[in-house]
C-alpha cells in the first residue's frame, strides 16, 4: 500500500515542478503559487498517509499514532489550499479575493489547531497504521478529531463541486474540461473516500464491523480522486504551452526546405535558449534567420521568372494564392542559384514583397517552404532557364545545417 501511495505523491510532485519551473515568475502569480501549493500539499498528504511513513513518524517522536494528527492536519491544509486555488482561479476584485483567501485560511487554521488539541486530550496508546479511524471511532476526543477532519474535508469538496458546476456553465474549451475533471475527482472523493469513511465509522458506533470500507476501499478512491483533481487544475495551465511547443517544433521541421536553401546567405546569430523554451526559441531564431536571408536575396529576384510561373499556374487551374506561392518559390530558387554562383542581379530585379513577409508568425514561411518541395512547381516553369534554376538548385543543394 505504501508503494502505491508514494507513486501518487511522486506524480503530484512532478506536476508541481512543471508548474513551478520559473520560480521568480511563479512567486508573483497568485494563481500559479496557489496551484503549486495545492499540488505539493496533496503530495504531502499521500506521503504522510503511507503506513511506512506513519510508523517512522511514530518511532521518531516516541508518541503512538502521532502520524494521525499530522496526516489529518495536512489533509485539512490541502482542503484549504484547494479552496484558495478556486478563489484565485475564479478571480474578481483584488480586495474580495484577498478577504476570501484569509477567511479560508483562518477557518482551516482553527480546524488544524482543534485536531491537535483533541489528539492531545485523547487516550490513543495503541498504534494503528491502517485502521485508526475505525479502531478509535468510539474513543472520547479521538472520535471528535476523526469526525472533525472528515467534516472539514467534506466541506471543501462540496464547495468545489458547487463552484465547478456553476462555473462550468459559463466557460468553455480547456477550462471547462479542467473543471469537469475537478468535478469528477471531487465527486469520487465524496462518494469513494468520505462516504466510505463515514459509513465505517458510523458502523462502529452501532456495533457493526465495516472496517474494510475505511482500510481497503477508501485509500485508492482518495488517490484516484486527488489525481483527477490535480489533472483538472493543471490541464488548462500546462496543455496550451505544450501544444504551442509541439506546433513550434512541427513548424520548425517544415521550414527545413526553405532554411536549407537560404542558409548560406543568412547572417543572424544564434541566441542561447533554455531547455523548456527550446522548440519555440529555435523556431523564432529560424524565422529571423530566414527573413534575414530573404532580404539578402531580394536583389536577385527575377520577376520574369515569377510572372511566367504564376501565369502558367493560373492556366493550370491553381488558385491565385497557390499560383503566387508557386511563382515566389520559383523566383526564390532562381535567386539562390544566382547568389551562390555570384552572378550579377538580373536586369528586371526590383522591389517585391513576398507573401511570407506580409503575414505575422511562421505560417507564411511554412507555406513558402512547402511550395519549394511540391513536384508541380518545377513542371510549371515554362522555359529552360526557369526550369534549370529550380531543378538545379535542388539537385546541388548546400549541405543543410540544422540549428
Amino acid at each position: 500500500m505504501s508503494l502505491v501511495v508514494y507513486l501518487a505523491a511522486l506524480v503530484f510532485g512532478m506536476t508541481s515542478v512543471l508548474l513551478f519551473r520559473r520560480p521568480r515568475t511563479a512567486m508573483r502569480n497568485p494563481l500559479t503559487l496557489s496551484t503549486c501549493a495545492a499540488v505539493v500539499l496533496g503530495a504531502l498528504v499521500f506521503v504522510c498517509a503511507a503506513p511506512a511513513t506513519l510508523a517512522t513518524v511514530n518511532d521518531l517522536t516516541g508518541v503512538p499514532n502521532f502520524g494521525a494528527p499530522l496526516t489529518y492536519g495536512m489533509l485539512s491544509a490541502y482542503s484549504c489550499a484547494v479552496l484558495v486555488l478556486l478563489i484565485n482561479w475564479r478571480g474578481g476584485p483584488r480586495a474580495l479575493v484577498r478577504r476570501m483567501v484569509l477567511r479560508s485560511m483562518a477557518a482551516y487554521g482553527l480546524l488544524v489547531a482543534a485536531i491537535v488539541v483533541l489528539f492531545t486530550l485523547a487516550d490513543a496508546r495503541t498504534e494503528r497504521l491502517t485502521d485508526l479511524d475505525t479502531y478509535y471511532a468510539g474513543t472520547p476526543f479521538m472520535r471528535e478529531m476523526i469526525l472533525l477532519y472528515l467534516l472539514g474535508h467534506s466541506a471543501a469538496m462540496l464547495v468545489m463541486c458547487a463552484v465547478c458546476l456553476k462555473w462550468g456553465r459559463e466557460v468553455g474549451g480547456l477550462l471547462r474540461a479542467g473543471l469537469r475533471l475537478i468535478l469528477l475527482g471531487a465527486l469520487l472523493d465524496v462518494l469513494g473516500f468520505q462516504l466510505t469513511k463515514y459509513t465505517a465509522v458510523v458502523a462502529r458506533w452501532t456495533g457493526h464491523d465495516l472496517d474494510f470500507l475505511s482500510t481497503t476501499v477508501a485509500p485508492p478512491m482518495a488517490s484516484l480522486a486527488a489525481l483527477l483533481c490535480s489533472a483538472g487544475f493543471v490541464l488548462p495551465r500546462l496543455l496550451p504551452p505544450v501544444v504551442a511547443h509541439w506546433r513550434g517544433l512541427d513548424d520548425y521541421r517544415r521550414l527545413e526546405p526553405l532554411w536549407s536553401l537560404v542558409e548560406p546567405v543568412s547572417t543572424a546569430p544564434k541566441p542561447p535558449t533554455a531547455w523548456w523554451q527550446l522548440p519555440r526559441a529555435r523556431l523564432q531564431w529560424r524565422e529571423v534567420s530566414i527573413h534575414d536571408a530573404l532580404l539578402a536575396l531580394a536583389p536577385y529576384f527575377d520577376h520574369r521568372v515569377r510572372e511566367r510561373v504564376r501565369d502558367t499556374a493560373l492556366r493550370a487551374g491553381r488558385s491565385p494564392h497557390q499560383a503566387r506561392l508557386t511563382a515566389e518559390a520559383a523566383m526564390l530558387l532562381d535567386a539562390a542559384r544566382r547568389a551562390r554562383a555570384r552572378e550579377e542581379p538580373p536586369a528586371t530585379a526590383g522591389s517585391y514583397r513576398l507573401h511570407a513577409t506580409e503575414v505575422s508568425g511562421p505560417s507564411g514561411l511554412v507555406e513558402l517552404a512547402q511550395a519549394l518541395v511540391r513536384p508541380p512547381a518545377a513542371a510549371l516553369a515554362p522555359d529552360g532557364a526557369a526550369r534549370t534554376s529550380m531543378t538545379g538548385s535542388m539537385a546541388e543543394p548546400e549541405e543543410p545545417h540544422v540549428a
Side-chain angles (χ1 to χ4, degrees):
M1 178 178 174
S2 295
L3 179 60
V4 175
V5 175
Y6 287 144
L7 287 175
L10 179 62
V11 173
F12 267 74
M14 293 179 65
T15 303
S16 65
V17 169
L18 292 174
L19 287 169
F20 212 65
R21 64 184 187 275
R22 297 177 183 175
R24 292 183 180 179
T25 304
M27 291 298 292
R28 296 192 296 266
N29 188 335
L31 180 55
T32 301
L33 191 59
S34 57
T35 303
C36 290
V39 173
V40 169
L41 286 172
L44 290 176
V45 170
F46 283 121
V47 171
C48 293
T53 304
L54 292 174
T56 302
V57 169
N58 295 341
D59 291 340
L60 290 176
T61 59
V63 179
N65 300 311
F66 185 86
L70 177 64
T71 303
Y72 298 158
M74 201 65 69
L75 181 61
S76 299
Y78 169 69
S79 301
C80 178
V82 167
L83 291 180
V84 171
L85 174 54
L86 284 174
I87 293 170
N88 284 318
W89 203 5
R90 189 72 171 93
R94 183 173 299 180
L96 177 61
V97 170
R98 181 179 177 82
R99 186 163 59 249
M100 294 177 67
V101 167
L102 291 176
R103 287 178 178 176
S104 299
M105 294 176 66
Y108 278 89
L110 292 174
L111 176 63
V112 172
I115 288 173
V116 174
V117 171
L118 289 170
F119 177 78
T120 304
L121 297 174
D123 182 9
R125 301 177 185 179
T126 304
E127 184 181 59
R128 310 301 297 186
L129 300 180
T130 58
D131 62 346
L132 183 141
D133 289 347
T134 52
Y135 185 85
Y136 287 107
T139 303
F141 300 113
M142 286 294 287
R143 175 183 57 227
E144 288 76 11
M145 183 192 73
I146 294 167
L147 188 59
L148 195 59
Y149 98 81
L150 286 174
L151 289 174
H153 187 55
S154 298
M157 292 300 105
L158 291 175
V159 169
M160 186 188 298
C161 290
V163 171
C164 291
L165 283 173
K166 181 179 179 181
W167 195 9
R169 303 188 188 101
E170 304 172 4
V171 299
L174 283 177
L175 185 54
R176 174 178 287 182
L179 288 171
R180 287 177 177 175
L181 279 176
I182 296 170
L183 177 61
L184 180 60
L187 289 174
L188 187 60
D189 189 290
V190 171
L191 300 177
F193 173 71
Q194 297 169 35
L195 185 59
T196 55
K197 284 282 187 179
Y198 283 124
T199 303
V201 170
V202 172
R204 277 283 186 161
W205 292 350
T206 58
H208 298 84
D209 185 357
L210 295 178
D211 291 7
F212 76 95
L213 292 176
S214 177
T215 59
T216 305
V217 178
M221 292 297 101
S223 300
L224 181 57
L227 290 175
L228 286 173
C229 288
S230 177
F233 282 124
V234 303
L235 178 68
R237 297 186 59 78
L238 286 184
L239 193 57
V242 168
V243 171
H245 281 299
W246 180 260
R247 290 177 177 171
L249 182 60
D250 183 56
D251 287 340
Y252 179 85
R253 291 171 175 169
R254 295 177 70 191
L255 285 174
E256 179 61 31
L258 179 57
W259 172 239
S260 298
L261 179 67
V262 304
E263 180 190 7
V265 298
S266 176
T267 59
K270 181 179 179 180
T273 58
W275 68 268
W276 59 79
Q277 298 174 328
L278 190 58
R280 297 177 68 181
R282 287 166 69 93
L283 174 62
Q284 291 172 358
W285 173 78
R286 179 161 283 188
E287 286 183 69
V288 171
S289 301
I290 290 176
H291 280 294
D292 176 75
L294 293 178
L295 288 175
L297 290 175
Y300 295 95
F301 287 168
D302 189 340
H303 299 297
R304 292 174 301 179
V305 173
R306 177 177 58 81
E307 291 170 359
R308 281 196 296 267
V309 175
R310 181 199 61 198
D311 293 342
T312 304
L314 289 173
R315 288 194 296 270
R318 298 281 186 89
S319 68
H321 180 66
Q322 291 175 332
R324 180 181 179 181
L325 289 176
T326 302
E328 290 179 351
M331 183 177 65
L332 183 60
L333 283 163
D334 180 72
R337 179 191 62 79
R338 291 177 184 273
R340 186 166 54 251
R342 300 184 184 278
E343 296 181 4
E344 291 294 325
T348 59
S351 60
Y352 178 79
R353 190 174 183 184
L354 296 170
H355 169 72
T357 63
E358 295 178 344
V359 296
S360 60
S363 59
L365 293 176
V366 170
E367 286 185 308
L368 181 59
Q370 297 306 299
L372 287 170
V373 297
R374 290 195 191 109
L380 287 172
D383 63 352
R387 185 177 294 105
T388 300
S389 67
M390 298 177 73
T391 58
S393 60
M394 281 300 189
E396 299 177 0
E398 295 286 331
E399 183 179 351
H401 170 72
V402 179

